[in-house]
Amino acid sequence: MLKPAPASETLLNIASTFGTPTYVYLEEVLKERITSLKQHLVGLPLQLLYAMKANHAVPVMNRVKQEGLGIDAVSSAELLLAIELGFPVDKILFSANNMTDTEMHYAKQKGAILNVGELSRLEKLGAAYPGSDVCVRLNPQIGAGHHRHVITAGTESKFGIPVEQIDQIHAISKKYDLHIRGLHQHIGSGILDTDTLWKAISVMLNASLSFDRLEFINVGGGLGIPYRADEAGIPMDEFASKIVAPLKQFIASHPSKKLEIWFEPGRFFTAECGVLLATVNTIKETEQITFAGVDSGMNHLVRPAMYGAFHEVVNLSNPNGPLEKYDVVGNICESADFFAKGRMVQKLSEGDIVAVLDTGAYGMSMANHYNMRSLPAEVFVPIGSHEPILFRSRRTPEQIVAETLNLS
């Protein structure tokens, strides 16, 4: 059984109109995912942030802003884009990893909330800006995720200040009169069970009891989505009993007053709204494998090569065709350049349009110009509209070379 492609006729029309490779983002799906999480967190003093590293496409960001979300930004450019798009600066958390002095000064000048995950950076912040507000990222020593490269807490993680060093956090904040406004954690990405999520939250909640002037506790994001047809998503019906109820009880007993809970998903909001369209240009049969070569590659979607990630591949041109086994591969000069291996796909022919599903998170945001190939075009499909909007065109070889020569 294959996952069905959303809005397949619309996707075929987009491929016909704008060509391939093309990323498509469906606003209706994006809004539904945001609404779903809001509904399951009702009852909490809540602020939702969007981890924009997942997808910083301007139409996507604008929809997020309309929904009243804040932003988790991890670089100066992300911070500036969020500000330029009109996100309130007091709802932007600046979480640069191994933050530089330049980044620290830039974020302070812009008025963002700095999220510091190293004792040495906390010391530098205090020395440069005594009396400042700050959020501190803790490592609860519990990690989780769909691949070891996306686990962002635990004993082997570079992220966050270990909970065992809370006394040092207090000492530095006292030395420079820093106001620890918030605490933050993020244990990993692609989490599909509430038990693991709550286990990490519990560690941070206990750690937070020694802070009496907190305004928020950011429990992170990392909520997964079902990439496979037979895979269950995170059980949202468990949020009320396993997440919301104990959080409400905890807040009521916390020494800090007017304490908010923050969540910062990225993938959960955007992954399912995105589709990568490509054209089959080669069918090559060997004794063992039938290769289906497409006009895209790992430079456009690196997750399969980097993480062994699964993305459903659907033949939009022949949706009812018999299932046959393929290695769906790209056009990059690397053996790791593939979208699927040994995968059952509706019978493919040269010229068919395929949709690589659930690519709205960490697709285009991780894409690159390897082999001097253009990035894909990007198209946004507004809610209730049959008029897709092309907001980024592919570059021609001439444009790419001209830009390269101008940079030299």
Side-chain angles (χ1 to χ4, degrees), residues 14-62:
I14 288 171
S16 176
T17 303
F18 301 110
T20 61
T22 296
Y23 270 110
V24 181
Y25 310 118
L26 305 167
E27 185 179 24
E28 186 173 357
V29 178
L30 172 60
K31 178 177 172 55
E32 188 277 329
R33 301 314 293 149
I34 296 172
T35 300
S36 173
L37 187 57
K38 284 180 177 179
Q39 290 174 340
H40 286 90
L41 294 174
V42 168
L44 286 177
L46 178 70
Q47 175 61 57
L48 287 180
L49 305 184
Y50 168 56
M52 64 180 289
K53 61 182 175 287
N55 186 330
H56 59 262
V58 170
V60 169
M61 295 282 287
N62 283 335

Side-chain angles (χ1 to χ4, degrees), residues 54-317:
N55 186 330
H56 59 262
V58 170
V60 169
M61 295 282 287
N62 283 335
R63 179 73 247 177
V64 167
K65 184 180 66 174
Q66 290 176 42
E67 294 295 323
L69 275 60
I71 288 293
D72 173 61
V74 298
S75 70
S76 296
E78 284 193 354
L79 171 60
L80 181 58
L81 177 59
I83 292 172
E84 290 292 318
L85 290 175
F87 285 89
V89 73
D90 63 347
K91 289 186 178 182
I92 302 176
L93 189 67
F94 185 67
S95 302
N97 182 236
N98 293 320
M99 191 183 302
T100 66
D101 290 347
T102 299
E103 289 172 327
M104 177 182 72
H105 296 312
Y106 187 85
K108 282 294 292 182
Q109 291 164 7
K110 294 296 184 182
I113 307 165
L114 270 72
N115 186 23
V116 175
E118 303 85 23
L119 289 174
S120 62
R121 177 52 56 191
L122 191 63
E123 182 92 31
K124 290 175 183 177
L125 175 68
Y129 303 99
S132 291
D133 291 353
V134 65
C135 176
V136 172
R137 177 170 183 168
L138 298 178
N139 181 343
Q141 303 296 31
I142 295 172
H146 64 84
H147 188 279
R148 64 188 181 89
H149 291 168
V150 302
I151 295 174
T152 53
T155 56
E156 297 182 358
S157 175
K158 68 173 182 172
F159 296 96
I161 300 172
V163 291
E164 298 87 353
Q165 297 177 358
I166 280 184
D167 287 346
Q168 292 165 263
I169 295 172
H170 283 299
I172 294 172
S173 63
K174 183 177 180 180
K175 178 180 178 180
Y176 296 106
D177 191 30
L178 295 174
H179 170 206
I180 308 297
R181 181 179 171 189
L183 295 180
H184 170 264
Q185 72 161 15
H186 183 74
I187 66 170
S189 188
I191 299 167
L192 289 173
D193 70 281
T194 51
D195 289 337
T196 300
L197 184 62
W198 178 250
K199 192 180 298 183
I201 290 174
S202 298
V203 174
M204 192 172 67
L205 294 184
N206 290 332
S208 76
L209 292 173
S210 65
F211 297 84
D212 59 5
R213 294 196 297 157
L214 290 178
E215 298 175 21
F216 64 87
I217 297 176
N218 185 337
V219 298
L223 305 181
I225 65 116
Y227 284 98
R228 301 172 183 265
D230 59 353
E231 188 174 40
I234 191 163
M236 300 303 294
D237 56 342
E238 293 182 3
F239 262 66
S241 60
K242 292 191 175 182
I243 304 293
V244 175
L247 276 175
K248 287 171 66 177
Q249 184 177 0
F250 176 83
I251 290 170
S253 63
H254 199 278
S256 300
K257 305 304 178 186
K258 298 182 179 179
L259 185 62
E260 290 186 334
I261 298 297
W262 292 14
F263 282 80
E264 55 174 38
R267 176 194 319 273
F268 184 81
F269 292 148
T270 62
E272 292 166 293
C273 86
V275 176
L276 174 60
L277 299 178
T279 300
V280 178
N281 51 54
T282 304
I283 299 293
K284 180 190 296 186
E285 296 185 10
T286 69
E287 290 184 2
Q288 294 83 23
I289 299 172
T290 299
F291 293 96
V294 302
D295 62 350
S296 182
M298 62 184 291
N299 59 324
H300 296 162
L301 181 67
V302 74
R303 296 188 71 251
M306 182 178 290
Y307 305 132
F310 181 97
H311 288 270
E312 196 76 87
V313 178
V314 177
N315 186 350
L316 296 177
S317 300

Side-chain angles (χ1 to χ4, degrees), residues 5-20:
S8 56
E9 287 301 319
T10 298
L11 295 176
L12 277 172
N13 289 336
I14 288 171
S16 176
T17 303
F18 301 110
T20 61

